Amino acid sequence: SGTIIEGYPLFANWTYPILGWKDRDGNGYIDSDEVMVGDSLMYVGPTQPKYTAYMSHFFGFLNNRLTLNANFAYSSGQSLYNQGRESLVSAMGAANIDKLSLRDQACFAATQYVTGRNRSAQCFMETVKVLRLQDMTLSYALPQALAQRIGATAASVRVTGRNLFMTSSFKGRDPGINTEPVTGNAVTAGPAFGAPREYGLGIQLSF
């Protein structure tokens, strides 16, 4: 992954393709030398989203004394190497390989080093779609008579939340967390937790 090849996006994901597998010795398991991997790199996709969209929604009630503002972000077409999923399958393969499907056994076996054969991370490359509710603010402007009772000409209260919701095709926690930021590109998504939810309370007074 992160290979630079002329005519393709910078730092795109590439891997050697898995051509097939067969339990040749009939032991019920796919061993490392029973997976066929191609000799030529296969383009998987860009490490930056192909498409992004930002949507802002505003709702006003009670003559806009009560307002709700929500901001969404959408992205799709981003290729990620799911390091967290590979680590999970590798751990299962090392300790409980009989609990893995033949396909997952082949995926695990393809990542292992075999003399004269390339290693492949094809099973752990994902093209991701993500929809996030980035932030939402609920604000209420107090009646002027109530504001004057506390010595202000106007007063409002607002509650804000960030990182409130995410839905994604990614088979992991959060595709936006890059576990190898030294590369400068979000090409590796691991088991790290995503950004925490944040909440805030604000009071605005005018005198």
Side-chain angles (χ1 to χ4, degrees), residues 121-135:
Q122 180 181 353
C123 294
F124 308 105
M125 296 289 186
E126 300 183 26
T127 301
V128 179
K129 298 178 181 178
V130 186
L131 177 65
R132 299 177 187 273
L133 174 54
Q134 291 187 313
D135 60 79

Side-chain angles (χ1 to χ4, degrees), residues 97-136:
I97 195 167
D98 58 314
K99 296 187 180 341
L100 293 177
S101 67
L102 289 181
R103 181 187 183 279
D104 282 344
Q105 289 181 32
C107 290
F108 166 65
T111 64
Q112 305 305 300
Y113 178 77
V114 174
T115 303
R117 191 205 71 186
N118 294 307
R119 288 184 286 181
S120 173
Q122 180 181 353
C123 294
F124 308 105
M125 296 289 186
E126 300 183 26
T127 301
V128 179
K129 298 178 181 178
V130 186
L131 177 65
R132 299 177 187 273
L133 174 54
Q134 291 187 313
D135 60 79
M136 184 166 62

Side-chain angles (χ1 to χ4, degrees), residues 164-177:
L164 297 178
F165 170 79
M166 180 195 72
T167 181
S168 171
S169 61
F170 181 68
K171 297 180 180 69
R173 290 173 177 160
D174 190 336
I177 302 300

